[in-house]
Structures are given as C-alpha cells and as structure tokens.
C-alpha cells in the first residue's frame, strides 16, 4: 500500500506535471464561447460533518482549489492519500487512471474516504466506498448507436491495400483535363452490396480547385439548388480545402488535373452519408483489383441534399462532412503513400479523431459537438487502449465514446502544441505551433503510440494522466474560468471563425444547439461501479470526511498500473 502525506510521494501540480458525423446538423450554431458553467462541479453529496476540531491538517497534503495531487501504485495494489481538510468543507474529484493500455480489460477497484489519520481511525467516522464488482471484472462499456458504413468500407479497403507489394500503388498519369460545366463523364461507384456501377456524372460546377459531379443515371439524385451549390462550392473550395492543406498537408494529385472531385449520388447513401475510397488513389492498373471502385482521382462521395433528411442536408452540414472525409484522403496519401508503407495499419479511431479535428479546425463543426458530448457523458466507456493502440478496428458497441474521446485527445495535443491563430479575415496566421505539430503527426511514417510519443516528446502515461485531469479541470472554475492556471490542465479558449461564425476549439462546458456539455461524467464515490478500463479513467467526487484530515484509499489489481490524481474543486 502506497501512502502519501505532506512529505510523501505526492506531486503537487499547479505549474505542471508534465448528431453524429454522418448526420451533422448545420441548422443551429453554438452560442459563441462558453457561457458561465452551469455546474461548477459535481453536486455536494458528501457525508455529514464529522465534527472535527477544525484545526490540524498539518500531516496531509495541502491543496488549494485547482491544485492536483498525484500518486502511482507502482506495481502495488493500493494507494492511500491523506489530504489536509482544515475547514471540513473541501470538495475533491479523484481521477482513477488505469495506465495499463495493453488491452481494454476492466479492472476491479475499491475506493474509500474516511476521516484521518489513516492509522487507528476510531469508530463512528464517516466513510464511503465504491464496492468492487463480484466475480471477475465485468465489461461495463455501454453501447453507442453510431453505425458507420464509411468506416467499415475504409477498413475493408485498407485491409486489402495492406497486402499490395512495396513500391507499388501510384503510377504517373498524363495530366487529366478537368471537365467544363455541363459535361458528362463516366464514374464508378459501389452500392450498398458492394456492386460497382458505372454512372454518367454531370459536372454541375467547376472551379480552379473543385469539380462537383451529380449522378444522372441513378434515380433520386434531384438537383442541387443554385444557392446551395454556390455555398457548398465556396465553403469547401475556398475555406476547408486551403485550411486543411495548412493543418494536415497537401493532398495528392494522382491524375494531374489539379482538382478535387465531389460526386453526389443516391448510391452513396446505401453505404454512408459520405465517404472517401482509398482505391481511387491506387492508380497502378496491374494491382487494381476487380470489383473495386477505381476512379483514379481525388474524389469524395456524398449523398445529394434531396436524399438526406432535414435538417442534416444544409450546405453547412454537408461542408462539415466534406471536411471530415477530405482529411481521410489527405491522411491516406501522406501517411501511407508518401512513406511507401501501404502495408502499415493505423488504429481507425486515430483517423476518425483526426477527421473530427478537421471539422473543428475548418471552422464548420456543429455535428461534432454531439459526438463530443456523448464521449464526455460516457467517459467510462472510453479506453485509450482501444482508441490508440495497435490496429484496432471499428467498434460498433463503443463507437461514440471512442470517436469523441479520440477527438478530445487529439485536440488536447493540438492545443498543447500551441494551437493556431486566425486574423480578422479568417486567414491562418500562426502555422508554427499546432499546425506544424499536426502536419508532422500526419506525415510521419510512425503510427499509434510511437507517433504520439515521438511527436510530443512525452510518454504515453504522462500524456494520458494529464489529459484525463485536463478534461476534469478545464473551465471548471467559477463562472467558467480556468480552475487551474497550469496550461497542461486546460484546453485553449474557443473562438468564433470570422468566415463561418462557428466555434473553433472545444470546452468541457460548451453550450451548443440548446444543450450543454458538463465535463466528463463524475460519480459520487459511494456510487462508483468499481471497474475501470485499461487505458481508461473513472472520475469520483467526494467531500472532506471531517475538519482535519481526510484519507482517500484506492485498491485495485496490480496489473491495472493505477494512477490516482486528486483535484480540489472547492
């Protein structure tokens, strides 16, 4: 049992220990930067005053509001932390992080709060505990109903592409000539059963960067209203595309036409609202497989607005979706093709988190907020082992928590790298901090944790411990202020994009679309389920047991590699 008091092994940290994507609504917008937090912390559910003397506390860790104490199990099963609680009115949140990320197995724990001192505490002292589950640790992850046909399609394509021989994939092509508006060209697209169709696609809009095609073969495409087509073309071509080049890197140009194509077809909706197909960039005819769509160009597949239910078919919602899918195209090219490593596998939730970050950085995020809130509300279902480890595939049961959690982690890394700045005209004027980190992250030949650690210069356990604490501390102070001045425990402030009037960035207490984020879900210590996922964290609130000292005791399987961080919130 590890014990910590004022001169123990505790690290006090005030200045640093180191909707739905596919149906994202553009009909409403967040109400700007966060309003004062509606909830400055979890409700006061602490035990009655134990009747202490009010003095003392000299042997416990002294924490001011916003300060953090950290203790690690270091291979042992228990942690004991004595906190100075001179007034008896102090309130805390404990972050229990299972640093074992080898898998997302659930580890049993017990957590108890009692009046101090730890040795020989007498009877009648207020005590609360989280019971360990009976029997083997159960898998308590809640399911998230976020079916993603585009992710499944991407998984299948990447699995097949990974088997291609090294040095093969893209071959030089004669520069293609973009069509003129009104011209029709044959393009390939698959239906929901994977059957490839050749359709006649009309170029309904051609700019110096973009070609927008409309399926004229499949019934139900309809026409896109001219004003909507103008908005989609301008939003993606003039805002999203140049910004994503800055943040993620230049996309490929496999057919040499200098354009990105967009195909609106009802067949897309049989797979997903939108998707990117990696086979379109594999231009070597000798290795293009039969039965796969191979259009030999940069192309995004979208559902026509007439097919998408309202209010998810607005131009802004469609542009947000395009921002998400375009990141996938850039990532595939820069991570796999430029590094000649088509065989390499990345965790699908790293790529999904990056595409959610693209929605944010592009200035069009709206549907992104729903997934973020889902992740915060279901934080106990998130595991860094599942989201960032190995080449884990799509998880339909926990997709919402993993997708939103991956975004929150990558946005945290972006902010820790310094973020970015836009001028009054919406131009990105700071590319030396967050943008430089992100381009390096995307372009590196490394994947998974190796890439995360190499790009940040920090260890996995340090990053996760700080991030889990930051989600609890960010904007939790009075009236939405930072609870801690330490930047490692905060996201950068959100700001509105001058071009889209939408919020860029995130806050744990962000109001949006008539809803409110309320930080990661916190359980009273007496109500905790007693299981923490490997690579995950549980958040437990407790109040001082008495005026004097309060002892927090946490016991868990040694294999969990438990790290406990206690934040004083009041």
């Amino acid at each position: 049992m590890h014990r910590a008091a004022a001169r123990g092994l505790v690290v006090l940290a005030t200045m640093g220990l180191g909707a739905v994507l596919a149906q994202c609504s553009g009909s409403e917008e967040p109400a700007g930067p966060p309003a004062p937090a509606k909830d400055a912390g979890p409700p006061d559910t602490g035990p009655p005053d134990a009747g202490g003397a009010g003095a003392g506390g000299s042997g416990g860790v002294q924490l001011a509001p916003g300060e953090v104490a950290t203790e690690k199990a270091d291979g042992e099963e228990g942690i004991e932390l004595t906190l100075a609680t001179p007034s008896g009115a102090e309130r805390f949140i404990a972050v229990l992080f299972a640093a074992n990320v080898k898998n997302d197995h659930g580890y049993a724990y017990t957590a108890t709060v009692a009046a101090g001192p730890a040795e020989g505490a007498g009877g009648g002292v207020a005590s609360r505990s989280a019971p360990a589950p009976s029997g083997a640790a159960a898998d308590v992850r809640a399911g998230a109903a976020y079916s993603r046909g585009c992710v499944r399609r991407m998984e299948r394509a990447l699995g097949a592409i990974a088997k291609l021989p090294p040095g093969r994939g893209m071959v030089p092509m004669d520069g293609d000539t973009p069509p003129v508006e009104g011209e029709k060209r044959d393009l390939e697209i698959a239906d929901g059963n994977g059957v490839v169709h050749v359709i006649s696609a009309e170029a309904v809009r051609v700019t110096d960067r973009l070609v927008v095609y409309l399926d004229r073969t499949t019934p139900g495409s309809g026409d896109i209203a001219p004003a909507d087509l103008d908005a989609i073309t301008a939003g993606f071509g003039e805002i999203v595309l140049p910004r994503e080049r800055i943040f993620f890197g230049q996309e490929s140009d496999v057919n040499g036409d200098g354009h990105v194509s967009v195909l609106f077809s009802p067949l897309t909706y049989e797979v997903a609202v939108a998707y990117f197909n990696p086979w379109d960039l594999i231009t070597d005819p000798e290795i293009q497989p039969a039965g796969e769509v191979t259009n030999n160009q940069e192309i995004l597949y979208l559902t026509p607005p007439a097919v998408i239910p309202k209010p998810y078919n607005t131009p802004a919602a469609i542009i947000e979706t395009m921002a998400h899918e375009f990141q996938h195209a850039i990532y595939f090219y820069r991570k796999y093709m430029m590094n000649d490593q088509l065989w390499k596998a990345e965790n699908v939730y790293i790529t999904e988190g990056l595409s959610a970050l693209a929605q944010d950085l592009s200035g069009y995020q709206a549907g992104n907020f729903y997934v973020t809130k889902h992740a915060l509300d279901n934080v106990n279902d998130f595991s860094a082992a599942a989201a960032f480890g190995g080449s884990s595939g799509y998880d339909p049961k926990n997709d919402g928590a993993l997708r939103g959690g991956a975004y929150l982690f990558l946005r945290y890394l972006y902010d820790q790298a310094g973020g970015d700045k836009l001028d009054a005209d919406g131009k990105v004027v700071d590319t030396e901090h967050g943008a430089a980190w992100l381009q390096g992250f995307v372009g590196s030949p490394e994947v998974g944790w190796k890439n995360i650690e190499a790009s940040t210069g920090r260890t996995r356990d340090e990053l996760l411990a700080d991030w889990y604490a930051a989600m609890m501390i960010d904007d939790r102070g009075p009236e939405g202020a930072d609870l801690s001045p330490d930047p490692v425990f905060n996201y950068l402030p959100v700001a509105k994009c001058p071009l889209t009037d939408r919020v860029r960035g995130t806050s744990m207490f962000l109001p949006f679309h008539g809803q409110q984020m309320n930080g990661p879900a916190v359980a009273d210590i007496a109500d905790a389920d007693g299981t923490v996922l490997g690579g995950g964290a549980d958040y437990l609130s407790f109040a001082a047991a008495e005026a004097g000292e309060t002892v927090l005791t946490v016991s868990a399987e040694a294999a969990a590699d438990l790290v406990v961080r206690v934040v004083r919130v009041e």
Side-chain angles (χ1 to χ4, degrees):
M1 173 78 70
H2 269 276
R3 293 180 179 172
R7 294 179 298 276
L9 300 177
V10 172
V11 178
L12 290 182
T14 56
M15 293 304 288
L17 170 73
V20 180
L21 155 73
Q23 294 185 339
C24 44
S25 169
S27 61
E28 298 182 87
E29 301 172 2
K38 295 180 180 178
D39 176 12
D44 189 354
T45 54
D49 186 353
S58 61
V61 177
Q62 303 268 358
L63 294 179
E67 289 186 332
V68 181
T70 302
E71 177 67 358
K72 299 180 180 180
D74 289 333
E76 297 190 19
E77 294 185 353
I79 290 174
E80 191 174 276
L81 182 58
T82 301
L83 301 165
T85 52
S87 73
E90 296 84 359
R91 294 178 57 244
F92 306 89
I93 295 175
V95 185
L96 277 57
F97 162 47
N100 186 339
V101 298
K102 294 179 181 178
N103 56 61
D104 57 356
H105 168 75
Y107 295 100
Y109 71 83
T110 60
T112 303
V113 171
E119 300 290 348
V125 176
S127 175
R128 296 174 294 160
S129 66
S134 59
D139 185 348
V140 297
R141 295 169 296 176
Y146 292 112
S147 177
R148 292 291 185 271
C150 54
V151 177
R152 294 191 182 98
R153 183 177 182 83
M154 180 84 75
E155 280 189 300
R156 289 194 298 268
L158 293 177
I161 289 171
K163 300 176 183 178
L164 297 179
R168 301 293 294 272
M170 188 170 68
V171 297
M173 299 179 65
D174 295 333
D176 200 0
T177 302
V180 296
E181 289 187 9
E183 181 180 343
K184 294 180 180 179
R185 292 189 175 181
D186 288 345
L187 293 174
E188 296 180 346
I189 184 172
D191 62 22
N193 296 316
V195 177
V196 177
H197 299 259
V198 178
I199 55 102
S200 177
E202 179 186 355
V204 294
R205 186 60 52 86
V206 180
T207 72
D208 61 345
R209 298 172 178 172
L210 194 62
V211 179
V212 179
Y213 289 102
L214 195 58
D215 182 348
R216 292 307 190 191
T217 299
T218 308
S221 290
D223 286 311
I224 303 175
D228 289 348
L229 186 58
D230 289 343
I232 292 169
T233 303
F236 181 75
E238 298 174 17
I239 299 177
V240 173
L241 193 151
R243 282 184 176 176
E244 292 206 15
R245 288 172 175 171
I246 292 171
F247 296 127
F248 299 95
Q250 182 77 28
E251 77 278 7
S252 59
D253 187 16
V254 297
N255 63 345
D257 73 346
H259 285 65
V260 174
S261 297
V262 177
L263 172 61
F264 285 94
S265 170
L267 292 175
T268 304
Y269 204 53
E270 295 185 11
V271 178
V273 168
Y275 62 86
F276 156 71
N277 172 33
W279 281 113
D280 286 323
L281 305 187
I282 305 297
T283 58
D284 187 338
E286 295 184 6
I287 58 176
Q288 288 178 336
E292 290 288 350
V293 172
T294 51
N295 282 309
N296 297 329
Q297 60 187 286
E298 293 69 30
I299 183 169
L300 305 180
Y301 299 85
L302 279 87
T303 301
V307 179
I308 304 173
K310 296 180 180 180
Y312 309 116
N313 60 354
T314 65
I318 291 171
I319 296 167
E320 182 183 11
T321 303
M322 295 170 76
H324 181 107
E325 299 303 332
F326 190 54
Q327 190 286 140
H328 284 309
I330 294 174
Y331 191 84
F332 179 76
Y333 172 62
R334 302 192 71 84
K335 178 67 67 176
Y336 302 119
M337 298 184 73
M338 287 187 66
N339 290 313
D340 190 19
Q341 54 180 25
L342 295 177
W343 51 270
K344 211 157 194 177
E346 177 69 282
N347 190 301
V348 66
Y349 288 105
I350 288 180
T351 64
E352 288 303 311
L354 287 169
S355 282
L357 184 59
Q359 294 168 249
D360 172 354
L361 297 177
S362 71
Y364 277 94
Q365 70 172 341
N368 207 32
F369 296 125
Y370 294 98
V371 182
T372 302
K373 178 173 170 55
H374 179 92
L376 291 171
D377 292 346
N378 297 274
V379 69
N380 291 354
D381 297 336
F382 177 84
S383 164
F388 308 125
S391 56
S392 299
Y394 174 70
D395 181 354
K397 184 179 181 182
N398 296 302
D399 182 59
L402 292 171
R403 186 184 292 262
Y407 158 71
L408 284 167
F409 181 67
L410 291 166
R411 183 26 125 157
Y412 174 76
L413 298 186
Y414 186 84
D415 286 0
Q416 291 296 301
D420 61 56
K421 292 181 181 178
L422 304 182
D423 65 15
D425 295 323
K427 181 181 179 181
V428 182
V429 293
D430 177 1
T431 61
E432 299 177 355
H433 296 95
W437 169 79
L438 189 53
Q439 275 214 27
F441 184 84
V442 171
S444 165
E446 298 293 351
V447 296
W449 283 116
K450 284 186 177 181
N451 195 21
I452 292 170
E453 291 186 325
S455 69
T456 61
R458 302 189 63 202
T459 69
R460 175 191 64 204
D461 291 356
E462 288 176 342
L463 285 169
L464 287 174
D466 283 347
W467 172 57
Y468 281 123
M471 285 199 292
M472 176 51 56
I473 294 172
D474 179 63
D475 294 339
R476 188 172 282 272
E479 298 186 350
D482 292 339
L483 184 63
S484 168
D486 190 342
V488 81
F489 294 136
N490 293 287
Y491 286 83
L492 292 176
V494 302
K496 277 197 171 184
C497 171
L499 299 180
T500 66
D501 201 35
R502 288 191 167 189
V503 168
R504 298 175 75 245
T506 195
S507 164
M508 301 305 97
F509 293 90
L510 186 72
F512 70 99
H513 299 182
Q515 300 188 43
Q516 173 80 40
M517 296 185 195
N518 291 299
V522 180
D524 185 271
I525 197 167
D527 300 325
D529 61 25
T531 302
V532 60
L533 298 178
D538 276 14
Y539 295 86
L540 307 180
S541 65
F542 63 96
E546 69 171 6
E549 291 181 353
T550 295
V551 180
L552 170 67
T553 303
V554 182
S555 298
E557 302 172 50
D561 291 339
L562 198 66
V563 178
V564 175
R565 307 192 93 165
V566 176
V567 184
R568 181 178 168 189
V569 293
E570 288 184 13

